[in-house]
Amino acid sequence: MIRVLFVCLGNICRSPMAEAVMRDLIEKKGLSSKIKVDSAAMSSWHIGEPPHKGTQSKLKEYGISTSGMKGRQLVKEDFESFDYIIGMDSNNVRNIREKLGQPEHPKIFRFLDLTSHKKDVPDPYYTGDFQETYDLVLDGCKALLEKIEESL
Ligand code: 4NP
C-alpha cells in the first residue's frame, strides 16, 4: 500500500481538492486497493470542517464527491504513516519539514515540482479562482499517479 498525504494551510481548499481528485483518478484506474490518499492542514483553523464551498462546487462540476471529508491538522506521526507528504506551496513544504523535524527527507516535496509548472498552487481562499487551482491540481495528480505507478 502506497500512502499519500497532501498538506496546505487550512485543509479546506487546495489539499482536499488534491485528495478528492487523486482518489478519483485512482478509482478510475482500479488502483484503490494499492494507493491510499489523505490531506491535512498546517493550521488548526478548520479542524472538523468540510471542504470550502468553492472546492465542493468545483469538484461537483467534474463529478467528484467530497462527502464525508473533514479538515484535520498535520501531526508528527504522519511522517511514519505516509510515503509521500506533499505541500501545495513552498511555505507548506517549509512548515511540514519544520514540524516533522525532517529538513531533507525526499518524501516531503512541493506538489507542482512534479510537473512542468514548478510553482506554488495558488490559494483560491485568496484568489477566488477555483478553476485555476483545479486545473493545476489535476495536472499535479496525474503526474503523481504516473510516478507512483512506476513504483507499484
Ligand atoms: P487552503 O486555503 O490552505 O488551500 O485550505 C486556506 C483556507 C483557509 C485560510 C487560508 C487559506 N484561512 O485563513 O482561514
Side-chain angles (χ1 to χ4, degrees):
M1 174 74 80
I2 304 285
R3 300 152 303 172
V4 178
L5 183 66
F6 296 107
V7 179
C8 64
L9 182 57
N11 194 211
I12 53 169
C13 294
R14 294 165 296 169
S15 63
M17 188 184 280
E19 176 189 344
V21 167
M22 187 70 184
R23 191 178 295 115
D24 182 63
L25 293 177
I26 289 166
E27 279 169 11
K28 285 176 176 153
K29 287 210 170 190
L31 293 171
S32 301
S33 64
K34 300 205 165 124
I35 311 169
K36 181 187 110 175
V37 197
D38 194 5
S39 65
M42 288 313 310
S43 74
S44 60
W45 304 332
H46 299 284
I47 293 172
E49 292 179 25
H52 190 286
K53 284 273 177 285
T55 286
Q56 288 191 40
S57 59
K58 185 50 66 186
L59 290 174
K60 204 169 171 196
E61 264 179 62
Y62 291 95
I64 300 173
S65 168
T66 55
S67 154
M69 291 177 69
K70 295 239 179 311
R72 73 161 177 98
Q73 194 169 22
L74 182 73
V75 293
K76 282 208 152 192
E77 296 72 46
D78 287 324
F79 183 72
E80 299 303 334
S81 308
F82 290 89
D83 302 293
Y84 296 90
I85 301 174
I86 303 174
M88 304 308 287
D89 65 33
S90 47
N91 283 330
N92 301 148
V93 171
R94 196 180 62 244
N95 292 329
I96 295 164
R97 287 182 174 140
E98 272 173 25
K99 175 149 187 170
L100 301 183
Q102 297 289 341
E104 313 240 329
H105 203 287
K107 78 160 90 166
I108 302 168
F109 56 86
R110 185 173 68 162
F111 185 53
L112 291 180
D113 284 343
L114 292 173
T115 71
S116 57
H117 303 291
K118 300 207 188 308
K119 63 172 191 173
D120 294 342
V121 177
D123 192 340
Y125 190 81
Y126 304 113
T127 67
D129 191 343
F130 286 84
Q131 185 66 52
E132 174 192 39
T133 296
Y134 175 83
D135 292 341
L136 289 166
V137 162
L138 181 58
D139 268 11
C141 286
K142 285 179 177 167
L144 177 61
L145 189 50
E146 263 180 42
K147 181 182 167 77
I148 292 174
E149 281 185 289
E150 287 167 13
S151 75
L152 288 177

